[in-house]
Amino acid sequence: MLRIHVSGWDLSRVRMASGPDALWETILSFHRLRDRRASAVFGKWRTETRPRLSGEVRLLSAVVPQHGYFPDFLTPSQESAEPLGLDAGMEAVRATPPERLSAEIALLGDPGARRAARLDPLREGGAEPVGRLVAALRDYHRAAVEPYWPHVRSAVEADRAIRGRALLDGGTDELLASLPPVIRWRAPVLEADYPVDRDLHLDGRGLLLQPSYFCRGTPVVLRDPLLPPVLVYPVAHRAAPAFAEPGPSLGRLLGQTRSTVLRVIGDGCTTSELARRAGVSLASASQHACVLREAGLVHTLRHGSSVQHTLTPLGGSLLRGGAPVAVS
């Protein structure tokens, strides 16, 4: 069980990350790569990704065990809700002080002879071994995460839409109460399923909420309690395989009304809002959203008694007349 102790001052400093974090997604995806579970969501991604990996993945395996702790320096912390981005994150990893590298790698425990051969140069903090690690992270990100970044961003944006509505409807209390079921807000403590028993005191620093596509099951926090607090939690996934190409349902996307519905969904809305803005009945709005979802143009998440619709990368591209979605 993880218990995050939240004071009244902390409540005023709870922030939602403005998008997916490249290094959190990179490290957590590396866990998913070696995890045989959740094949309905990640199976196709694993199949596509593995042939693209280089031999440097062995270095990542040494630094990121399949289960449990991995060093905090791999996911640089920050105060801002704006993710660092891949390049800035890589430079932050490269700039990790040698003493911190040594201390955090030591927390991995006895690595055994084969892993020790890869970890010992990093413990010493030299520029060359750290540079190799950064290169391995970048190569892995390019193979495993970058091709799917629009999908990752779409899922995170859909989650942000749900959290944003909760915040508008009921403030920070409602925002914290709206988090996935593995996280429970029992003021003044935010509890979460966790592999070990731990208490984290925010002490007035607030909390950054970071939704993550590749986080699975339980949320993740940094081990060092002195670092800026961040709670990385899993977004909801559809039952259909992730990254699937749109099927023949796309051919059903005909007519002015459905084009209007797609445009109205824009940055996100509920079915009731969709009906009102598009000037159609609630049943018609639901049916149009269903067709758009089947065509891979809309992402739908249920929250309580309502559902929230947001555009997928394909839907956004179609709305812009085919302009590609930028990867950051």
Side-chain angles (χ1 to χ4, degrees), residues 283-299:
S284 178
S286 179
Q287 191 269 338
H288 285 305
C290 178
V291 173
L292 293 169
R293 182 171 62 253
E294 291 173 355
L297 303 177
V298 167
H299 191 104

Side-chain angles (χ1 to χ4, degrees), residues 113-174:
R114 295 180 65 183
R115 285 182 61 214
R118 301 187 183 104
L119 290 177
D120 286 346
L122 273 175
R123 286 184 212 267
E124 299 170 6
E128 183 178 349
V130 175
R132 278 193 63 202
L133 175 61
V134 169
L137 281 168
R138 190 178 292 277
D139 287 348
Y140 173 78
H141 176 90
R142 187 177 295 118
V145 179
E146 186 175 284
Y148 309 101
W149 191 252
H151 301 271
V152 171
R153 188 169 60 188
S154 173
V156 169
E157 283 302 320
D159 183 271
R160 276 173 41 83
I162 292 290
R163 309 308 156 211
R165 179 161 301 276
L167 181 64
L168 289 172
D169 289 347
T172 310
D173 276 292
E174 184 65 23

Side-chain angles (χ1 to χ4, degrees), residues 12 19 32 84-85 90 93 99-100 122 131 144 174 186 200 204 219 224-225 258 268 274 277 280-282 299 312:
S12 68
R32 301 291 78 78
L84 283 176
M90 293 295 184
V93 172
E99 59 272 15
R100 181 180 172 187
L122 273 175
E174 184 65 23
R186 294 171 178 164
L200 174 60
D224 187 346
R258 200 158 290 150
L274 175 58
R277 295 174 187 173
V280 298
S281 69
L282 190 62
H299 191 104
T312 65

Side-chain angles (χ1 to χ4, degrees), residues 2-6 176 184-192 199:
L2 170 67
R3 291 173 293 273
I4 302 176
H5 299 266
V6 184
L176 295 178
R184 298 163 295 279
W185 174 231
R186 294 171 178 164
V189 179
L190 190 63
E191 297 180 351
D199 287 271

